[in-house]
Amino acid sequence: MDFNKLQIIKLLNDAEQQKTLFKKADNIRRQYVGDEVHLRGLIEFSNICRNNCLYCGIRRGNNKVVRYHMTEDELIDTARKAANIGFKTIVMQSGEDMYYTQDKMCRIIEAIKKFDVAITLSIGERTYDEYKAFREAGADRYLMRIETTDKDLYHKLDPEMSWQHRYDCLMMIKELGYELGSGIMVGLPEQTVESIADDLLFLKDIGIDMAGIGPFIPHPQTPLAGAAGGTLDLALRTMAVMRLMMPDINIPATTAMESLHPKGRIMALQAGANVVMPNVTEGEYRKLYELYPGKICVNDTPVHCRSCIGMKIEAIGRTIGKGYGGHQKSMQKTKD
Ligand code: 5AD
Ligand code: FES
């Protein structure tokens, strides 16, 4: 649907009618992307980051974090196990850790590609040459949230980073033929619904293939410890409106949603989402990759999470996707 900014703001503000909105998003989801839920195995392979975003638990300045990065072999091994338990997409996520040079990443991508999986990278801002090399090595998709399109807010949340540069990175990724995932946090300090409406229009305008939308959850060891944080309801409404605006894209039920409510991901799957990214990181690393507090599944294993989420998905009458679950662009147009 081609909503204008005012229409989006109205939907985002309308807490009373949110059930109707979720129902609509659920119907559009069924109509365009069906009842399959695509699972992605998420490997959090390094919590070392050169950046210092005010909101993030693994920011450079948080000296209470016990830092780790997996070795090349550990990472490949984790991916192999995830492929063996049935994941058709592996998402490799980390802080901006320069230990993972271009050559190292390429070797890892080539090795993991042999497991017959789609590969998604979520490793932040890199150079064009690096993005190109990763793509040529076999990476299929790239996730990088724009976080907010309010440039002043973006620069307040990380004075060292540049909104324009992040945007330029998204454009490079798109040009190189990756499926592009982007998204935002909902409930950042000083963020308004007007600004969230701009974010949604932006994501539609750049033609993303996947939209990751989650509530901001303040981390006690960051400068934003005392902030209010986002609510699950507003995050769900934002996600549902995104589904109406971009009916055929992939939309994950985000982990942060479940951190605010024990049924957060199921609620999201019934309000427009069609993807879940269970954690397949092993052992202590799970706890140490703490972007925000209250992260779910920190004491679980990949096998446990796979079967837990599988049962929850089937309990609401949905099925687990059997293919790679990439963005199937629809030719169908919405009526208005
Ligand atoms: N609360 C919620 N989400 C967060 N992220 C980072 N820190 C937080 C937080 N405190 C999100 C960002 C980032 C993604 C990997 O995690 O949107 O892009
Ligand atoms: Fe990890 Fe349910 S998904 S325990």
Side-chain angles (χ1 to χ4, degrees), residues 175-233:
E175 186 219 298
L176 288 164
Y178 286 92
E179 278 193 32
L180 174 62
S182 192
I184 59 160
M185 280 178 285
V186 172
L188 291 166
E190 295 174 40
Q191 186 188 41
T192 59
V193 280
E194 287 76 11
S195 147
I196 298 174
D198 284 332
D199 297 343
L200 293 178
L201 288 165
F202 168 86
L203 293 171
K204 175 160 179 156
D205 189 50
I206 66 168
I208 53 164
D209 300 290
M210 187 281 236
I213 293 167
F216 160 59
I217 307 176
H219 190 294
Q221 292 159 6
T222 63
L224 298 182
T231 64
L232 175 63
D233 281 354

Side-chain angles (χ1 to χ4, degrees), residues 305-325:
C305 287
R306 169 64 187 78
S307 76
C308 162
I309 196 67
M311 284 189 297
K312 288 178 178 171
I313 289 167
E314 278 157 14
I316 57 166
R318 304 273 282 275
T319 55
I320 308 289
K322 292 194 176 57
Y324 300 110

Side-chain angles (χ1 to χ4, degrees), residues 258 265 276 278-279 286 296-298 300-302 304-310 312:
E258 188 117 336
R265 288 177 301 177
V276 181
N279 197 329
R286 277 189 184 226
I296 59 165
C297 308
V298 286
D300 297 308
T301 61
H304 178 85
C305 287
R306 169 64 187 78
S307 76
C308 162
I309 196 67
K312 288 178 178 171

